[in-house]
């Protein structure tokens, strides 16, 4: 297991907490711009654009376009990861927010269905890479190399908080045009704030990774040493490392399941004859459970190790899928399903980046993520395509597909080899050859 710090687990320091809170907002916006709003905006835009063919048509197209956007995001993930390595997290944060702001404004105002679909694609691959993957994950791994699991546990609360609130907020606004203009303005504002808020490393503001007690000069020397070591992680070395594939594909299957469950949660409950208002309430409840789940998965990551936490997470999802497959309109059963799905919402966002950091180190995360992020993106993007093709008549059928992939994912996670660590830097040892150490 990656060595722990001397300070208490939640002692991140004022500057560290500031970056965690920034990442909460980044994760929140990522969910707003990609998956969570699929429960609302297709119907809302169909209502004000009747010429588009109705809610079912727009919903199916939106799911399909979001899936296409995810697949295009495979290329985007490579490009954005390379840009992040060269330009830093601050640059990417500003760029991502401004691009998403432009896309949202176009979505709000266009009378053209093809242009609308194109903007769904753009939002998916931009937000799903920059706001969800590149910026917050880089920040958390660089600021908290040893406590990344718990730091991510706090930061990724933004994902379930979004699930709990965004549909209620958008429903209160009512008008889709106004709602998406507002989201666009928020993206622009957050992009401007990012210029002053985001710090690429703790060392640049006189802080120490993990808020440890260390001489600032020594901290800078260690940072330079870590950065130099990470440069040895060439694309060839990364692709030869078995952990790259186990994380990219295995954990990608779990992420795919998360999107599959959350994006059509209300739709499935209604199909099971659950009252609409109760279904919306259960999604909110699931998301609130996810907020607690984010912290619990972070604690498990810190206490028992990232690999064991990921294995438990996979088994948890098998139960969640079975509950959704055999769901009835029985309120106790719906409540139990919401609890299991909710805890899942709160876990995947922190376990994947934590596992990459565990296997590749503080600055090695940025390098390894160039290869792993495209794999994760390609796999998770299949969720909406599976639902739009297989689940068009019965969502339970698509849940059986996810069940099979979760089993494969658990096996692949089991095959991950956790490396040994340098006692001084906390970075992995021996990751530059064909294999990792046991």
């Amino acid at each position: 297991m990656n060595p722990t710090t001397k300070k208490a687990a939640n002692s991140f320091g004022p500057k560290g907490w500031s970056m965690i809170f920034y990442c909460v907002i980044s994760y929140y916006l990522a969910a707003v711009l990609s998956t969570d709003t699929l429960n609302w905006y297709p119907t809302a835009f169909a209502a004000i654009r009747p010429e588009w063919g109705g809610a079912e048509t727009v919903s199916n197209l939106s799911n399909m376009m979001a899936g296409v956007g995810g697949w295009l995001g495979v290329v985007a993930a490579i490009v954005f990861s390379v840009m992040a390595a060269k330009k830093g997290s601050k640059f990417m944060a500003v760029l991502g927010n401004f691009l998403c702001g432009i896309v949202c404004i176009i979505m709000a105002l266009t009378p053209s269905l093809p242009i609308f679909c194109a903007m769904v694609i753009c939002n998916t691959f931009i937000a799903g890479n920059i706001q969800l993957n590149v910026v917050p994950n880089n920040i958390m791994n660089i600021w908290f190399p040893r406590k990344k699991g718990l730091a991510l546990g706090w930061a990724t609360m933004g994902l379930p908080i979004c699930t709990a609130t965004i549909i209620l907020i958008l429903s209160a606004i009512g008008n889709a045009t106004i709602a998406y203009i507002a989201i666009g303005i928020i993206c622009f504002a957050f992009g401007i704030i990012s210029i002053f808020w985001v710090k690429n490393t703790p060392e640049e503001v006189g802080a120490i990774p993990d808020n440890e007690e260390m001489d600032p000069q020594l901290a800078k020397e260690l940072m330079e040493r870590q950065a130099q070591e990470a440069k040895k992680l060439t694309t060839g070395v990364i692709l030869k490392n078995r952990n790259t594939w186990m994380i990219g594909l295995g954990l990608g299957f779990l992420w795919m399941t998360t999107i599959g469950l959350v994006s059509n949660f209300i739709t499935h409950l209604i199909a099971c004859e659950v009252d609409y208002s109760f279904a919306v309430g259960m999604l909110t409840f699931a998301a609130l459970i996810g907020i607690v789940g984010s912290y619990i998965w972070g604690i498990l990551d810190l206490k028992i190790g990232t690999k064991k936490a990921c294995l438990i997470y996979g088994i948890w999802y098998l139960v969640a899928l079975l509950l959704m497959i055999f769901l009835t309109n029985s309120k106790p059963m719906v409540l139990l399903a919401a609890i299991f799905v909710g805890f899942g919402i709160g876990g995947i966002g922190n376990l994947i980046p934590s596992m990459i950091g565990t296997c590749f180190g503080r600055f090695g995360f940025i390098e390894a993520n160039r290869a792993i992020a495209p794999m994760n993106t390609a796999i998770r993007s299949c969720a909406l395509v599976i639902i739009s093709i297989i689940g068009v008549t019965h969502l339970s059928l698509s849940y059986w597909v996810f069940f099979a992939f979760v089993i494969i994912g658990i096996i692949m996670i089991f095959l991950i080899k956790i490396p040994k660590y340098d006692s001084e830097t906390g970075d992995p040892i021996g990751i530059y050859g064909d294999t990792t150490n046991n």
Side-chain angles (χ1 to χ4, degrees):
M1 186 187 299
N2 202 340
T4 56
T5 57
K6 296 176 184 177
K7 283 199 172 184
N10 283 306
S11 297
F12 297 114
K15 293 174 183 176
W17 277 113
S18 173
M19 295 313 301
I20 289 172
F21 184 61
Y22 177 88
C23 291
V24 170
I25 300 173
S26 185
Y27 283 124
Y28 187 100
L29 277 177
V32 169
L33 295 164
S34 53
T35 55
D36 282 12
T37 45
L38 282 167
N39 283 294
W40 184 81
Y41 75 74
T43 301
F45 275 107
I48 61 174
R49 302 275 192 271
E51 68 274 16
W52 287 0
E56 186 176 349
T57 298
V58 178
S59 181
N60 286 337
L61 277 171
S62 297
N63 275 319
M64 181 63 75
M65 293 305 103
V68 171
W71 282 337
L72 290 177
V74 173
V75 177
I78 298 171
V79 174
F80 292 146
S81 294
V82 171
M83 288 176 67
K86 292 182 177 180
K87 298 286 189 178
S89 298
K90 176 183 289 189
F91 175 85
M92 297 305 298
V94 176
L95 175 66
N97 279 291
F98 272 82
L99 288 176
C100 286
I102 293 168
V103 169
C104 286
I105 298 296
I106 295 173
M107 278 184 71
L109 299 177
T110 182
S112 166
L113 181 57
I115 292 176
F116 176 83
C117 289
M119 293 305 101
V120 172
I121 292 172
C122 290
N123 248 345
T124 303
F125 78 73
I126 295 170
N129 277 291
I130 298 180
Q131 268 122 326
L132 180 64
N133 178 33
V134 172
V135 173
N137 291 352
N138 282 357
I139 290 172
M140 290 294 94
N141 272 276
I142 289 173
W143 273 75
F144 311 107
R146 289 183 170 102
K147 294 196 288 191
K148 59 190 175 301
L150 189 56
L152 281 159
W154 284 105
T156 54
M157 286 182 183
L159 297 171
I161 289 172
C162 177
T163 307
T165 60
I166 192 59
I167 301 302
L168 298 175
I169 293 170
L170 294 177
S171 297
I173 295 172
N175 184 282
T177 298
I178 295 172
Y180 268 76
I181 287 174
I183 293 171
I185 292 171
I186 290 169
C187 286
F188 288 132
F190 193 52
I192 293 170
I193 293 170
S194 298
I195 297 171
F196 309 98
W197 194 347
V198 176
K199 309 300 178 187
N200 293 317
T201 68
E203 288 87 351
E204 71 182 65
V205 288
I208 307 298
D210 295 307
N211 193 37
E212 280 285 17
E213 295 177 0
M214 184 184 294
D215 177 72
Q217 184 58 38
L218 176 59
K220 286 185 178 181
E221 290 174 4
L222 286 177
M223 181 187 73
E224 290 172 4
R225 174 178 154 190
Q226 290 170 319
Q228 287 301 316
E229 285 294 298
K231 289 180 180 178
K232 297 178 184 178
L233 280 172
T234 63
T235 301
V237 169
I238 292 166
L239 293 176
K240 287 179 183 177
N241 192 304
R242 68 185 288 177
N243 287 347
T244 298
W245 300 92
M246 299 303 108
I247 299 170
L249 301 179
L251 284 165
F253 292 141
L254 301 190
W255 202 348
M256 176 179 72
T257 302
T258 302
I259 292 174
L261 286 171
V262 175
S263 63
N264 287 267
F265 185 81
I266 293 174
T267 304
H268 184 58
L269 263 60
I270 292 172
C272 294
E273 300 181 350
V274 176
D275 178 74
Y276 175 78
S277 59
F278 184 65
V280 173
M282 283 297 95
L283 178 61
T284 303
F285 174 71
L288 292 173
I289 290 292
I291 297 170
V292 179
S294 289
Y295 184 75
I296 292 176
W297 291 114
I299 286 289
L300 282 174
D301 186 317
L302 186 69
K303 298 296 183 183
I304 67 174
T306 314
K307 180 176 176 177
K308 290 179 182 177
C310 287
L311 289 170
I312 294 171
Y313 184 86
I315 294 167
W316 184 274
Y317 252 172
L318 291 178
V319 178
L321 284 164
L322 288 174
L323 286 168
M324 293 295 283
I325 289 167
F326 296 107
L327 192 68
T328 68
N329 61 0
S330 164
K331 288 188 176 180
M333 189 173 182
V334 172
L335 185 66
L336 186 61
I339 291 171
F340 270 82
V341 172
F343 264 94
I345 295 171
I348 195 65
N350 52 319
L351 291 175
I352 290 179
S354 182
M355 181 62 83
I356 298 172
T358 295
C359 292
F360 294 96
R362 186 186 180 202
F363 289 96
F365 173 89
I366 298 174
E367 305 301 326
N369 203 39
R370 290 180 308 186
I372 295 173
M375 295 183 204
N376 284 160
T377 301
I379 298 297
R380 79 172 189 238
S381 301
C382 293
L384 298 176
V385 178
I386 289 170
I387 288 174
S388 64
I389 296 174
I390 300 175
V392 112
T393 54
H394 208 296
L395 273 172
S396 292
L397 256 161
S398 56
Y399 293 155
W400 278 118
V401 175
F402 295 139
F403 189 91
F405 279 117
V406 170
I407 291 175
I408 296 170
I410 290 172
I411 294 170
M412 297 185 82
I413 293 165
F414 182 78
L415 294 174
I416 292 173
K417 289 187 175 183
I418 303 300
K420 295 177 181 177
Y421 300 95
D422 185 303
S423 60
E424 187 176 23
T425 65
D427 275 352
I429 299 171
I431 59 173
Y432 305 111
D434 292 335
T435 61
T436 53
N437 297 320
N438 285 311

